[in-house]
Amino acid sequence: MLGVGPRALQWIAAGVLVTTLGVLIKYVGWTWLLAGYSESSSPVPDAVIQDIAGNTVLRIGTALLTVGVLAAVTTLPAYIDVVVGGVIVLAVARLIYRLNTWSPSKAT
């Protein structure tokens, strides 16, 4: 039987929440969930924001779910929190960079 402890439940709950937010941003178009973004003040079209930001949030949510499942089946090292935090910071930095360097000529 899986030993689903409180640490695993925290990771899984966070993963479900973030993945749900990613689905709402990417597929439902709820870009208002993104802090500081408004379609009227940004040169980047809403569809591009949906795609880029939605994919990033979905990736982070999937990573959190994966860590939660791993925490349920094995003992994670103490430094995993720092590693996951660093990965999230890098993903958000990549998201900000991609949105700030987007131009209409790069649109596919």
Side-chain angles (χ1 to χ4, degrees):
M1 181 171 165
L2 297 176
V4 182
R7 189 171 184 202
L9 288 176
Q10 289 174 352
W11 285 110
I12 291 171
V16 167
L17 177 66
V18 174
T19 302
T20 302
L21 292 174
V23 167
L24 291 174
I25 292 168
K26 180 161 178 73
Y27 297 109
V28 181
W30 286 12
T31 54
W32 56 269
L33 291 171
L34 301 168
Y37 171 74
S38 71
E39 189 174 7
S40 61
S41 66
S42 175
V44 182
D46 202 39
V48 174
I49 296 290
Q50 277 182 246
D51 184 46
I52 295 174
N55 284 340
T56 300
V57 175
L58 281 171
R59 276 190 212 106
I60 292 170
T62 304
L64 293 174
L65 278 170
T66 302
V67 171
V69 170
L70 286 174
V73 298
T74 187
T75 303
L76 295 177
Y79 58 84
I80 195 70
D81 299 341
V82 176
V83 171
V84 171
V87 168
I88 291 171
V89 167
L90 289 174
V92 172
R94 178 180 180 260
L95 168 66
I96 292 169
Y97 174 78
R98 287 189 67 201
L99 292 177
N100 282 329
T101 59
W102 180 87
S103 67
S105 62
K106 291 182 183 178
T108 56

